[in-house]
């Protein structure tokens, strides 16, 4: 079994980082195309990419009288553009600069009658080279991308189970291309104090919208500038007193002061006897710490555990 075929494959950060930096920017280009074509939703949920069995998708987008979507296929390593008028095109995902990827995608869209203009500056990235000028980031290792995608897909299944325990307002399990993470968030129902903003290359109004209400979130992030290892995280806004010193599980989890969230290294999950059980334990214990310390009305927001997955009577006998 190759690493990419393992349920929870290895993802050494040093081997993955150059590809990560390039792929992050490619997803931003595609994500910004979605941003131009769909109406705004609460907490900027319209900006996210959705998951498929093979990668990420913009889902359906209108373009005049036409409809189209763009899909990343991380199994065969293609970018697929498909239109409701039957026209489609395929780009190969391979080692190439961000500028080259951008140019080919824009030319392909124009040839399909789907021309679009986007904001050229990456968001939430320090070295925000405009996409059409970025010849620096040009790595793409298909094997390591396949490993990353397997982790994202496996994590999404666990996040879905965790999300199902909550009957209050909650986000879908979706992929934010700005921060390059897979996440789901829960809401207490109460307004939150104005977020201070200050996120890298992101207008404050987006942070104000994202954190307009009390929120507890968790997800998977494959590493970057503040942590040179892939990890699962759990956070809360506003952070209640005592959250940073709360007792959470498993013992490998710790509070990451620089990012104000709890962190569980991916390798601790991957090497566990039951990765899913360990990950659910992390999500549940950090949520309980946030909700209890923050005074959330858990009796109204949570599904009774004995019926959280009992929908079998609606399926086939």
């Amino acid at each position: 079994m190759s690493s990419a075929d393992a349920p929870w494959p290895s993802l050494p950060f040093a081997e993955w980082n150059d590809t990560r930096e390039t792929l992050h920017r490619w997803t931003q280009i595609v994500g910004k195309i979605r941003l131009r074509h769909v109406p705004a939703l609460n907490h900027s949920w319209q900006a996210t990419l959705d998951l498929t069995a093979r990668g990420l998708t913009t889902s359906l987008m209108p373009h005049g009288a036409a409809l189209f979507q763009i899909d990343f296929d991380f199994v065969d390593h293609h970018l697929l553009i498909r239109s409701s008028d039957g026209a489609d095109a395929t780009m190969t995902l391979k080692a190439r600069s961000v500028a080259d990827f951008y140019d080919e995608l824009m030319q392909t869209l124009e040839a399909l009658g789907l021309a679009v203009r986007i904001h050229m500056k990456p968001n939430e990235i320090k070295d925000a080279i405009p996409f059409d000028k970025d010849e620096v980031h040009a790595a793409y290792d298909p094997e390591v991308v396949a490993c990353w995608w397997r982790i994202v897909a496996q994590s999404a299944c666990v996040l879905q189970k965790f999300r199902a325990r909550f009957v209050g307002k909650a986000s879908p399990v979706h992929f934010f291309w700005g921060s390059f993470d897979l996440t789901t968030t829960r809401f207490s129902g109460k307004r939150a104090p104005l977020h201070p903003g200050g996120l890298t290359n992101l207008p404050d109004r987006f942070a104000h919208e994202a954190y307009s209400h009390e929120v507890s979130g968790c997800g998977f992030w494959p590493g970057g500038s503040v942590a040179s290892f892939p990890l699962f995280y759990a956070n809360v806004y506003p952070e209640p007193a005592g959250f940073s010193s709360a007792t959470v599980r498993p013992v490998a989890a710790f509070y990451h002061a620089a990012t104000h969230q709890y962190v569980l290294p991916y390798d601790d999950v991957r090497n566990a006897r039951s990765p899913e059980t360990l990950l659910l334990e992390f999500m549940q214990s950090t949520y309980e710490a946030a909700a209890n310390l923050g005074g959330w009305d858990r009796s109204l927001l949570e599904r009774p555990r004995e019926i959280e997955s009992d929908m079998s009577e609606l399926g086939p006998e």
Side-chain angles (χ1 to χ4, degrees), residues 25 39 127 242 306:
R25 288 158 175 81
D127 56 339
E306 64 271 15

Side-chain angles (χ1 to χ4, degrees), residues 154-209:
Q154 288 285 95
S155 299
C157 294
V158 183
L159 285 166
Q160 290 281 16
K161 289 187 176 183
F162 178 68
R163 182 179 183 267
R165 297 175 176 179
F166 201 74
V167 296
K169 174 183 170 181
S171 80
V173 175
H174 48 195
F175 185 85
F176 274 99
W177 44 263
S179 46
F180 204 62
D181 67 318
L182 178 76
T183 188
T184 185
T185 48
R186 295 174 167 187
F187 294 81
S188 74
K190 295 181 287 186
R191 295 285 302 189
L194 186 68
H195 192 279
L199 301 179
T200 303
N201 287 320
L202 187 71
D204 287 347
R205 68 180 182 275
F206 291 101
H208 297 164
E209 166 68 15

Side-chain angles (χ1 to χ4, degrees), residues 13 36 84-85 242 290:
F13 186 76
R36 285 297 300 265
S84 59
D85 63 8

Side-chain angles (χ1 to χ4, degrees), residues 159-171 184-189 214-216 284 287-288 291 296-305 307-309:
L159 285 166
Q160 290 281 16
K161 289 187 176 183
F162 178 68
R163 182 179 183 267
R165 297 175 176 179
F166 201 74
V167 296
K169 174 183 170 181
S171 80
T184 185
T185 48
R186 295 174 167 187
F187 294 81
S188 74
E214 291 182 350
V215 60
S216 170
Q284 186 67 29
Y287 158 72
E288 289 179 357
W296 291 28
D297 190 342
R298 294 181 57 190
S299 65
L300 292 179
L301 296 171
E302 298 172 22
R303 185 189 305 275
R305 298 293 289 276
I307 63 170
E308 68 179 32
S309 299

Side-chain angles (χ1 to χ4, degrees), residues 86-145:
D88 59 41
T90 301
M91 289 172 50
T92 300
L93 299 179
K94 61 183 181 180
R96 58 162 70 183
S97 71
V98 172
D100 183 57
F101 177 89
Y102 170 83
D103 288 343
E104 182 178 347
L105 177 54
M106 291 302 162
Q107 291 172 18
T108 301
L109 289 171
E110 185 171 5
L112 294 173
L114 300 167
V116 62
R117 295 178 62 187
I118 63 172
H119 187 267
M120 298 300 295
K121 188 177 181 180
N123 298 115
E124 301 184 61
I125 295 175
K126 289 183 179 180
D127 56 339
I129 307 169
F131 300 123
D132 61 342
K133 307 296 184 186
D134 189 351
E135 301 286 351
V136 175
H137 303 97
Y140 189 87
D141 181 334
E143 184 174 351
V144 77
V145 169

